[in-house]
């Protein structure tokens, strides 16, 4: 078994690696211009996913292995363990809550609530963001306090308000489970450990992507019929008059940076946001730009879930955000007409695409063992 | 409309000469040039082409760009380098010669494309297929280079969030890559990618030389971002340099309508009347 640290691997050697044994059974679409047939199942279940990440990302994600960050190790056995842990309620103090409680597959891995609800029923301070397409993220959490997915995964588990787990509780529960002991040993060479569990969960999360939306088929695939005329007009607005691409850039529609929109400003003070991490007063009230992929499915919106619908969000931006001393200078009233706002919403809805597992094809709700659809 | 006007404007292909013979031949407006030396059969061997691209008329001022984003970094106004002319010589014109036979594209290159001062540079490059393109941000603001192939589909779209950030992409297919910045609509560059090695870009002296061409009658394409394209026929002589001068007529660059980034003509537009009604 050999594991590949994606953060350290890139370049022609990987690009040239054979895809013939990569276990991808179903991919509705792959990179633009290379509509290859589905590959045969892998003969080696421990084969690195790296070539797959290069050549099998769904249409519309312009990713290369160098994009993957941090110490996440993408290796099939690690991913499989991570997936099991993601849906395992023993990760919460009560034994009732899993990662999927707040990151539900059917809601594009969000929970539909304004604010998350912890293991004891207490409200979490922020809206649960999607975990899709986070493998290339440069900062995790709304305030970016975690540099990679493994560090992020650890946070909610150890948070008193969220899952309420401790290292001791984890070791007690999983160390007494022979199956888990065996799996941890196979993957990491040692017994169950919460830090290792976070790495496995991160590996699983890094395989979860969404793309191949109508927008992707239109822009990357050249399918002129894939977007309605309203969505096409919305695309123009998105890139031109509305200026959305100032922050929602690239193929994941985020600059991974922090901006103050005035969300949460109560007239006198802002929530700390990025300031809590940097201590820089310029970062007061700044939060990370979220992806817009599958945004139709991730209501309510903003870091505090204070905007219920996409229309609310568009109206908020059309009015130039909420004035406050640290408002982002690029934010200003847009004066878009109701028809234009509808077009923008049509465009945003065109970003809804299927969820893929980079290791096994389409993610199928309920297929918790990760088999291809 | 722009293409049609350029077709008319780029009227004169003036002179072609075989340098060894010191011969210069003029021709009428819009006509293909007769080769200086015509042979019944293409000779064996290889020769060179030297192509000079000139502007007829007064060089226009560079169009003014009024920045609508990141003004603190980009400045409120920039000059758009759509047409660089010095002493009547046009830079950034792509010259390519159809080899008339299947040839290897040549060794892949490593190209650089930088954002600097909220402009992309170099403005125009050529490369063989398979070349790698290193995109680098030299500004301390976010740029979003977005590559379109032949105006038909997106081939890359990357976010470079800060100064010094680079990402590399492969130019896999032959064609014209137009690179915009989705964040700053005025930023633009072109890379022409070929499946043969006979291409180049005119520098500030308005000239490019292409070596190793198979001898015989060859079609040359001269392309400029706003002046349009010309096709001419030349005769390549073995062991000799064939020189051509191509002239484009000056245009008012202020009237040039560039396709905004990612806004290809085939993407639906808002009907102006409908828009007006909605405002009421």
């Amino acid at each position: 078994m050999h594991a590949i640290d994606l953060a350290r691997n890139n370049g022609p050697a990987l690009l040239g690696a054979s895809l013939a044994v990569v276990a991808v059974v179903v991919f509705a679409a792959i990179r633009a211009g290379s509509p290859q047939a589905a590959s045969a199942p892998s003969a080696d279940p421990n084969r690195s996913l790296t070539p797959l990440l290069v050549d099998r990302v769904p249409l519309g994600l312009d990713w290369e292995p160098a994009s993957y960050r941090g110490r996440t190790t993408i290796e099939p056995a690690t991913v499989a363990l991570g997936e099991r842990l993601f849906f395992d309620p023993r990760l919460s103090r009560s034994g009732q809550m899993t990662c999927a409680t707040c990151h539900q597959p059917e809601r594009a891995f969000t929970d539909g609530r304004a604010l998350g609800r912890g293991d004891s029923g207490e409200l979490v301070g922020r809206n649960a963001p999607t975990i899709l397409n986070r493998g290339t993220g440069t900062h995790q959490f709304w305030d970016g306090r975690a540099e990679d997915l493994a560090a992020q995964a650890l946070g909610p588990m150890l948070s008193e308000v969220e899952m309420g787990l401790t290292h001791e509780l984890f070791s007690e529960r999983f160390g007494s489970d022979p199956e888990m002991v065996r799996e941890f040993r196979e993957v990491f060479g040692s017994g169950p450990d919460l830090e290792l569990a976070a790495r496995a969960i991160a590996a699983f999360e890094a395989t979860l992507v969404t793309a191949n939306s109508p927008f992707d088929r239109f822009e990357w695939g050249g399918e002129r019929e894939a977007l309605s005329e309203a969505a096409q007009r919305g695309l123009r607005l998105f890139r031109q008059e509305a200026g959305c691409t100032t922050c929602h850039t690239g193929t994941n529609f985020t600059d991974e940076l922090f901006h103050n929109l005035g969300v949460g400003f109560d007239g006198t003070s802002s929530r700390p946001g990025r300031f809590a991490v940097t201590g820089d007063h310029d970062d007061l009230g700044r939060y990370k730009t979220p992806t817009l992929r599958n945004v139709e499915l991730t209501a309510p919106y903003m870091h505090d879930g204070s905007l219920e619908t996409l229309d609310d969000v568009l109206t908020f931006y059309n009015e130039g955000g909420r004035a406050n001393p640290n408002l982002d200078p690029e934010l200003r009233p847009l004066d878009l007409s109701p028809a234009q706002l509808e077009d923008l919403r049509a465009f945003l809805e065109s970003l809804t695409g299927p969820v893929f597992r980079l290791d096994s094809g389409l993610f199928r709700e309920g297929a918790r063992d990760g088999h291809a659809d | 409309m722009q293409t049609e006007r350029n077709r008319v404007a780029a009227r004169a292909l003036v002179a072609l000469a075989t340098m060894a013979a010191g011969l210069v031949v003029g021709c009428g407006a819009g006509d293909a040039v007769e080769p200086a030396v015509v042979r019944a059969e293409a000779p064996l061997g290889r020769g060179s082409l030297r192509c000079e691209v000139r502007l007829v008329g007064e060089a226009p001022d560079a169009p003014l760009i009024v920045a609508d984003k990141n003004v603190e970094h980009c400045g409120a106004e920039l000059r758009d380098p759509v047409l660089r002319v010095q002493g009547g010589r046009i830079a950034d014109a792509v010259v390519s010669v159809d080899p008339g036979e299947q040839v290897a594209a040549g060794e892949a290159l490593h190209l650089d494309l930088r954002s600097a001062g909220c402009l992309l540079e170099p403005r125009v490059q050529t490369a063989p297929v398979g070349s790698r393109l290193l995109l680098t941000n030299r500004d301390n603001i976010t740029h979003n280079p977005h590559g379109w192939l032949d105006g038909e589909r997106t081939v890359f779209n990357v976010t470079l969030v800060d100064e010094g950030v680079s990402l590399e992409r492969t130019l896999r297919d032959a064609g014209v890559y137009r690179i915009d910045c989705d964040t700053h609509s005025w930023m633009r560059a072109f890379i022409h990618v070929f499946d043969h090695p006979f291409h180049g870009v005119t520098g500030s002296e308005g000239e490019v030389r292409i070596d190793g061409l198979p001898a015989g009658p060859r079609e040359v394409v001269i392309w400029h971002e706003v002046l349009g394209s010309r096709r001419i026929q030349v005769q390549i002589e073995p062991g000799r340099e064939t020189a051509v001068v191509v002239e484009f007529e000056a245009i008012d660059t202020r009237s040039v309508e560039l396709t905004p980034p990612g806004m290809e003509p085939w993407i639906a537009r808002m009907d102006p009347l409908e828009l007006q009604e909605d405002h009421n």
Side-chain angles (χ1 to χ4, degrees), chain A residues 13-298:
Chain A
L14 297 177
L15 289 168
S18 168
L19 289 169
V21 295
V22 175
V24 175
V25 178
V26 175
F27 254 58
I30 51 178
R31 290 185 74 92
S34 53
Q36 301 161 29
S39 302
S42 172
D44 176 5
N46 290 321
R47 182 180 174 78
S48 160
L49 301 185
T50 307
L52 183 151
L53 290 171
V54 178
D55 290 321
R56 291 287 176 156
V57 294
L59 185 71
L61 284 184
D62 188 6
W63 287 3
E64 293 197 351
S67 306
Y68 271 72
R69 299 177 62 85
R71 51 202 165 88
T72 300
T73 300
I74 308 293
E75 189 274 333
T78 317
V79 173
L81 174 60
E83 181 175 22
R84 260 190 278 288
L85 292 167
F86 189 87
F87 294 102
D88 194 323
R90 290 177 292 177
L91 291 181
S92 61
R93 181 189 297 273
S94 70
Q96 300 294 314
M97 184 181 187
T98 73
C99 300
T101 303
C102 294
H103 301 287
Q104 301 165 14
E106 64 274 20
R107 295 179 187 270
F109 291 87
T110 62
D111 64 0
R113 298 172 180 273
L115 300 174
R117 192 178 296 271
D119 188 47
S120 62
E122 195 175 343
L123 286 180
V124 176
R126 290 177 189 154
N127 177 261
T130 182
I131 61 172
L132 296 172
N133 294 354
R134 291 309 305 159
T136 56
T138 53
H139 303 90
Q140 310 295 345
F141 291 121
W142 280 104
D143 59 11
R145 66 184 182 275
E147 286 189 1
D148 58 40
L149 284 173
Q152 188 281 327
L154 210 50
M157 289 192 287
L158 289 173
S159 163
E160 284 280 336
V161 180
E162 297 185 54
M163 299 174 84
L165 192 65
T166 63
H167 284 84
E168 295 72 25
L169 197 54
F170 177 88
S171 296
E172 183 185 314
R173 287 177 178 174
F174 288 84
S176 60
D177 179 340
E179 183 66 15
M180 275 291 167
V181 171
R182 183 186 61 76
E183 280 203 48
F184 268 82
R185 286 204 172 127
E186 278 183 12
V187 172
F188 294 111
S190 62
D193 170 89
L194 186 53
E195 303 274 345
L196 296 177
R199 285 175 56 184
I201 291 169
F204 165 63
E205 290 177 337
T207 67
L208 293 172
V209 298
T210 180
N212 191 29
S213 65
F215 161 75
D216 298 308
R217 299 202 305 274
F218 178 79
E219 179 158 290
W220 292 75
E223 281 185 42
R224 300 289 179 260
E225 306 303 315
L227 274 198
S228 68
E229 289 213 352
Q232 292 181 42
R233 293 192 299 265
L235 170 58
R236 284 183 183 276
L237 290 164
F238 186 83
R239 289 194 174 133
Q240 296 289 309
E241 292 97 316
C244 309
T245 47
T246 303
C247 302
H248 293 285
T249 60
T251 54
N252 199 32
F253 297 90
T254 168
D255 57 5
E256 294 283 325
L257 297 177
F258 306 87
H259 303 275
N260 180 319
L261 314 178
V263 174
F265 182 70
D266 62 6
T268 54
S269 64
S270 292
R271 301 289 297 170
R274 182 67 173 161
F275 170 80
V277 179
T278 65
D280 182 344
H281 280 83
D282 287 346
D283 284 332
L284 205 59
R286 286 182 176 169
Y287 292 88
K288 191 179 66 185
T289 308
T291 181
L292 296 179
R293 288 195 173 275
N294 283 7
V295 69
E296 180 186 12
L297 309 176
T298 63

Side-chain angles (χ1 to χ4, degrees), chain B residues 211-238:
Chain B
D211 294 322
L213 288 163
R218 299 282 163 245
E219 183 177 81
V220 181
V221 177
I222 303 97
W223 173 97
H224 187 274
E225 175 183 348
V226 292
L227 298 175
S229 296
R230 293 294 308 271
R231 289 175 187 272
I232 61 171
Q233 301 293 321
V234 301
Q235 182 75 19
I236 300 300
E237 298 291 331

Side-chain angles (χ1 to χ4, degrees), chain A residues 233, chain B residues 269-276:
Chain A
R233 293 192 299 265
Chain B
R269 291 173 185 276
M270 176 75 81
D271 181 341
L273 285 176
E274 182 190 339
L275 187 61
Q276 198 164 352

Side-chain angles (χ1 to χ4, degrees), chain B residues 1-10 226-229:
Chain B
M1 190 168 171
Q2 184 62 38
T3 307
E4 184 61 31
R5 190 182 51 174
N6 286 338
R7 197 171 293 141
V8 176
V226 292
L227 298 175
S229 296

Side-chain angles (χ1 to χ4, degrees), chain B:
Chain B
M1 190 168 171
Q2 184 62 38
T3 307
E4 184 61 31
R5 190 182 51 174
N6 286 338
R7 197 171 293 141
V8 176
R11 60 161 180 81
L13 174 62
V14 176
L16 176 147
T18 52
M19 293 298 283
L23 199 62
V24 179
V25 179
C27 74
D31 295 330
V33 172
E34 288 299 317
V37 179
V38 180
R39 292 171 190 269
E41 292 179 18
L44 298 173
R46 297 194 173 267
S48 301
L49 173 75
R50 186 161 60 82
C51 183
E52 185 182 322
V53 185
R54 290 183 186 157
L55 190 74
V56 176
E58 194 174 341
D61 291 335
L64 191 68
I65 297 164
V66 179
D68 59 354
K69 279 182 192 163
N70 299 115
V71 174
E72 75 292 348
H73 180 87
C74 303
E77 294 181 349
L78 300 90
R79 289 287 172 183
D80 195 351
V82 288
L83 177 57
R84 292 198 299 131
V85 181
Q86 197 168 30
R89 292 158 189 262
I90 300 172
D92 297 333
V94 172
V95 178
S96 60
V97 184
D98 183 347
E101 61 187 28
Q102 283 255 325
V103 292
E107 192 176 344
L109 302 176
H110 286 268
L111 302 185
D112 280 309
L113 184 64
R114 302 168 295 275
S115 60
C118 299
L119 293 173
L120 288 170
E121 60 180 35
R123 181 79 174 196
V124 180
Q125 302 181 79
T126 67
V129 288
S131 293
R132 295 283 281 173
L133 173 65
L134 184 68
L135 300 145
T136 304
N137 187 353
R138 295 285 179 219
D139 295 320
N140 61 7
I141 54 172
T142 300
H143 287 301
N144 184 186
H146 182 167
W148 290 78
L149 179 59
D150 294 330
E152 288 292 318
R153 61 182 172 89
T154 291
V155 285
F156 61 81
N157 185 340
V158 298
T159 303
L160 305 175
V161 293
D162 210 348
E163 189 172 4
V165 175
S166 293
L167 276 175
E168 213 173 20
R169 290 293 180 266
T170 302
L171 306 172
R172 300 175 195 276
D173 301 305
V176 180
Y177 289 69
R178 196 192 71 225
I179 298 101
D180 304 319
C181 175
D182 276 357
T183 311
H184 306 94
S185 59
W186 62 85
M187 294 174 68
R188 174 155 299 181
F190 292 90
I191 301 173
H192 289 232
V193 176
F194 295 93
D195 53 10
H196 62 75
F198 307 117
H199 45 82
V201 182
T202 57
S204 55
E205 76 292 352
E207 219 173 71
V208 63
R209 180 184 156 114
I210 299 170
D211 294 322
L213 288 163
R218 299 282 163 245
E219 183 177 81
V220 181
V221 177
I222 303 97
W223 173 97
H224 187 274
E225 175 183 348
V226 292
L227 298 175
S229 296
R230 293 294 308 271
R231 289 175 187 272
I232 61 171
Q233 301 293 321
V234 301
Q235 182 75 19
I236 300 300
E237 298 291 331
R240 290 184 172 182
E241 178 184 84
T242 300
V244 294
V245 177
V246 178
E247 291 188 345
F248 286 91
E249 204 164 80
I251 61 167
D252 182 355
T253 50
R254 288 172 303 181
S255 66
V256 171
E257 284 184 29
L258 300 178
T259 305
M263 295 294 99
E264 305 307 322
W266 40 264
I267 300 179
R269 291 173 185 276
M270 176 75 81
D271 181 341
L273 285 176
E274 182 190 339
L275 187 61
Q276 198 164 352
E277 286 169 10
D278 288 333
H279 274 303
N280 290 336

